[in-house]
Amino acid sequence: MKIFNLILGILSIIGAIYSIFYPGITFLNIGWIVTVLLGVWGICSIVDYAINCGKKQNSKDEAFMGVLGLVFGIVAAVASVLAIFVPSIRVVLDIIILCIFSGWLIISGINSAVSSFKVRKSGSKSWILTLICGILVLVAGIYGYFNLIFVARTIGFIMGILLMVYGLRLVVSVFEKADR
């Protein structure tokens, strides 16, 4: 599994660098990016389950999520292929992606603001920063519903950051010792 993690981590880092420098093109190709990531993640999860076959406690859950990821990857691939040949499908998919991303920003902003008050109760002074970031993300999500171009540019940049974190985490996991 470490080889899969290393390969997927390196591919994610390369994709992240591309996404950060070309956020507009990343948005246009987001269907393919999601397709590849879901497909590779699904295959890796299934292979990991087959190799470890019950050694891990939550391996069945991971295998189920892997199968689900593979199915969604195939659905995303079909939708992306259809979008190539039918422009109206492409437009609808793009608008759906933008609205889902704006909604995700709104939910994430609310969640961050609520969690800042939980941090405040613990006595930490970092709750103010969490609250400010939550409010900014909430405002960005609301603004995104009214300005889809903003969301299209932002989604590529954020996809790059998320891919970078994911890729680095996978590469670092290769060098961690297994706890057995």
Side-chain angles (χ1 to χ4, degrees):
M1 192 63 191
K2 288 187 176 193
I3 298 211
F4 288 125
N5 283 355
L6 184 64
I7 292 169
L8 190 58
I10 291 170
L11 288 174
S12 295
I13 291 170
I14 291 169
I17 292 168
Y18 180 81
S19 297
I20 289 171
F21 286 109
Y22 300 105
I25 294 173
T26 300
F27 168 69
L28 295 175
N29 295 318
I30 202 159
W32 294 108
I33 294 169
V34 170
T35 298
V36 170
L37 286 177
L38 283 174
V40 171
W41 174 67
I43 291 169
C44 289
S45 295
I46 293 168
V47 169
D48 184 43
Y49 175 74
I51 290 172
N52 294 324
C53 201
K55 293 178 185 175
K56 294 181 188 175
Q57 186 171 353
N58 61 352
S59 61
K60 288 183 181 179
D61 293 339
E62 288 179 16
F64 175 73
M65 292 303 291
V67 169
L68 204 59
L70 191 57
V71 168
F72 281 129
I74 292 169
V75 169
V78 170
S80 295
V81 168
L82 285 175
I84 291 172
F85 299 110
V86 183
S88 60
I89 290 177
R90 176 65 189 202
V91 170
V92 170
L93 285 175
D94 287 347
I95 291 172
I96 289 171
I97 289 169
L98 293 173
C99 290
I100 288 173
F101 184 73
S102 293
W104 175 68
L105 286 176
I106 290 171
I107 291 170
S108 180
I110 292 171
N111 188 27
S112 181
V114 168
S115 66
S116 72
F117 291 113
K118 291 179 183 175
V119 171
R120 180 181 179 202
K121 290 179 183 176
S122 70
S124 177
K125 297 200 185 243
S126 66
W127 73 274
I128 296 172
L129 181 62
T130 308
L131 179 65
I132 291 170
C133 289
I135 291 170
L136 289 174
V137 170
L138 176 66
V139 169
I142 293 169
Y143 179 70
Y145 272 117
F146 299 105
N147 188 350
L148 294 178
I149 299 298
F150 165 76
V151 176
R153 300 274 308 163
T154 306
I155 197 170
F157 187 72
I158 289 179
M159 177 70 97
I161 292 171
L162 293 174
L163 276 173
M164 182 67 73
V165 170
Y166 179 68
L168 289 173
R169 192 177 76 203
L170 284 174
V171 170
V172 167
S173 75
V174 169
F175 300 106
E176 292 177 346
K177 291 185 178 182
D179 48 354
R180 291 182 186 175

